[in-house]
Amino acid sequence: MENHKEKIYLSPPHMSGEEQVYIDSAFDSNWIAPLGPNVDAFEREISSYLGVNAAAAVSSGTAAIHLALQLLEVGPGDRVFCSTFTFVASANPILYQGAEPVFIDSEPETWNMSPQALERALKEAEQEGNFPKAVIVVHLYGQNAKMDEILRLCSEYDVQVIEDAAESLGSTYQGKASGTLGAFGIYSFNGNKIITTSGGGMLVSNDEGAMNKARFLATQAKDAAPYYQHSAIGYNYRMSNILAGVGRAQLQVLEDRVGARRSIFNEYVMHLSGLPGITFMNELENSRSNRWLTTLLIDEKTAGISNKALLEVLNEENIEARYLWKPLHLQPLFKDTSYYPHSECHHVAEELFQKGICLPSGSSMAKEQQMRVINCISHSIKVNSLRLSG
Ligand SMILES: *Cc1c(COP(=O)(O)O)cnc(C)c1O
């Protein structure tokens, strides 16, 4: 049957209208290049927003993670600990470097890296004399991981931290910008993120020397010689001056976008949290989530419907909702990779994947659209939970 209902997307781009001004300035000055005044300005503006010393605009969040691993000299034979509950882009750069990922489970409060699993992994690494070169901590759906605990452990064992803040731009942790607490932080401006350049990323750090090196590696590692001379492997990872213009305009409305996504989250909670078997992702104390995507867990035993069945119902209504990230230790790509669960009998990320869904959360979503999503979910849970009790 053909579906005539207007499609509601998970997280579509939301332009401010000012982007064209910056694009025009790139065209007017003929800076149609991977570098230029918009790139420099975007780096300055985002550094000042985040409160970091330096930022390097690159072609994707994945490229930014790859550069961070390069800067920490991760290479063949090295191990890198990484959150298991994340998008594959968090871990692919570990493979680019010929290094070995080790996956760390989530904990139930933030759904992000479990400090208790990390501690076990570090203790074992100490016993084996095989410390990781780096830990990649992911802040999923805008929620901050428990950075105090994670940073304390990593400094105790002298391991560097890379924050994958691709989904948490605009979130704060104890008053500091998410992604600015580790040695390096990365952000993504992919089309579905809270602000977008259509595609792009940012690497940030307080270590200006390292960031100069990042820019060098990202422009083919060209030596300071009068001709083309190269002594290291380089990459073509810089951001285009046109796209940086889009980013500058988007950054100006970031706070509005966070506000809009948080309101959308509150609206879902108001209408759905009373339903049987539904729980929402909490917000860690002393932190602000940008609520990039509203996520919830469905307990089939009380809701009377599984996450899979609910996703099918939503899909039939032309509503784009999705599973949560499938843990990386369950991916065929990583089938022989080691993994540390939260505890022996509590595999948190697996449980989240089995129960969770994410809902349309775009900052441009209209109230009527959100009510369509809410009515669809509440109807379907009411019918199914009644069937259970009846
Ligand atoms: C989007 C995303 C990335 C990758 O960013 P790209 O810009 O698409 O390369 C990395 N990690 C997480 C958690 C993401 O959501």
Side-chain angles (χ1 to χ4, degrees), residues 60-62 65 86-87 89-90 138 140 164 166-167 188 190 193 200 325:
S60 70
T62 311
I65 298 171
T86 184
F87 180 44
S90 304
V138 189
L140 280 190
D164 178 344
E167 301 178 4
S188 167
N190 196 5
K193 297 301 195 302
W325 299 121

Side-chain angles (χ1 to χ4, degrees), residues 18 22 44 61-62 64 70 101 109 135 172 178 184 194 237-238 249 262 283 298 309 337:
E18 293 302 307
Y22 295 95
R44 276 198 310 274
T62 311
Q70 296 265 338
E109 198 184 346
V135 174
T172 60
S178 182
F184 297 100
I194 193 156
Y237 275 172
R238 284 295 254 166
R262 288 181 63 86
E283 184 171 43
I298 302 152
T337 306

Side-chain angles (χ1 to χ4, degrees), residues 112-147:
N112 287 313
M113 186 178 279
S114 157
Q116 125 189 2
L118 176 65
E119 182 165 24
R120 252 187 299 119
L122 286 167
K123 281 199 168 131
E124 263 182 45
E126 184 177 39
Q127 281 156 13
E128 294 162 7
N130 190 10
F131 275 116
K133 263 276 176 68
V135 174
I136 301 177
V137 184
V138 189
H139 306 300
L140 280 190
Y141 307 116
Q143 168 93 286
N144 292 281
K146 294 189 169 174
M147 289 306 286

Side-chain angles (χ1 to χ4, degrees), residues 73-302:
E73 296 179 349
V74 171
D78 290 333
R79 299 200 306 162
V80 176
F81 291 0
C82 180
S83 303
T84 192
F85 190 48
T86 184
F87 180 44
V88 70
S90 304
N92 266 334
I94 304 171
L95 302 182
Y96 301 167
Q97 288 303 96
E100 183 199 330
V102 173
F103 293 120
I104 311 292
D105 200 10
S106 300
E107 50 82 24
E109 198 184 346
T110 65
W111 304 9
N112 287 313
M113 186 178 279
S114 157
Q116 125 189 2
L118 176 65
E119 182 165 24
R120 252 187 299 119
L122 286 167
K123 281 199 168 131
E124 263 182 45
E126 184 177 39
Q127 281 156 13
E128 294 162 7
N130 190 10
F131 275 116
K133 263 276 176 68
V135 174
I136 301 177
V137 184
V138 189
H139 306 300
L140 280 190
Y141 307 116
Q143 168 93 286
N144 292 281
K146 294 189 169 174
M147 289 306 286
D148 266 356
E149 291 86 336
I150 291 167
L151 289 171
R152 198 179 311 126
L153 283 167
C154 289
S155 85
E156 189 181 322
Y157 291 94
D158 201 19
V159 180
Q160 300 285 350
V161 174
I162 299 168
E163 290 181 83
D164 178 344
E167 301 178 4
S168 67
L169 180 60
S171 301
T172 60
Y173 179 85
Q174 298 177 4
K176 292 192 183 126
S178 182
T180 63
L181 288 91
F184 297 100
I186 77 95
Y187 304 92
S188 167
F189 308 115
N190 196 5
N192 61 353
K193 297 301 195 302
I194 193 156
I195 61 169
T196 181
T197 59
S198 78
M202 192 71 74
L203 176 67
V204 304
S205 175
N206 284 319
D207 182 344
E208 286 179 65
M211 294 303 288
N212 287 334
K213 187 166 178 204
R215 294 192 191 90
F216 165 78
L217 294 173
T219 44
Q220 309 286 18
K222 185 177 174 294
D223 291 342
Y227 30 76
Y228 286 92
Q229 176 171 294
H230 306 270
S231 321
I233 300 179
Y235 302 87
N236 185 3
Y237 275 172
R238 284 295 254 166
M239 181 182 277
S240 125
N241 191 55
I242 300 171
L243 300 188
V246 177
R248 292 182 71 191
Q250 287 271 290
L251 185 59
Q252 288 170 4
V253 292
L254 174 58
E255 285 298 314
D256 297 343
R257 300 300 186 249
V258 174
R261 296 217 184 215
R262 288 181 63 86
S263 305
I264 284 166
F265 172 83
N266 290 335
E267 195 75 14
Y268 277 130
V269 170
M270 195 168 80
H271 288 93
L272 300 176
S273 60
L275 293 170
I278 294 293
T279 46
F280 287 86
M281 185 197 236
N282 281 323
E283 184 171 43
L284 183 63
E285 230 179 85
N286 284 325
S287 76
R288 174 180 85 160
S289 169
N290 66 13
R291 294 291 184 193
W292 173 55
L293 294 183
T294 291
T295 53
L296 54 82
L297 302 180
I298 302 152
D299 178 24
E300 191 178 353
K301 286 200 241 40
T302 35

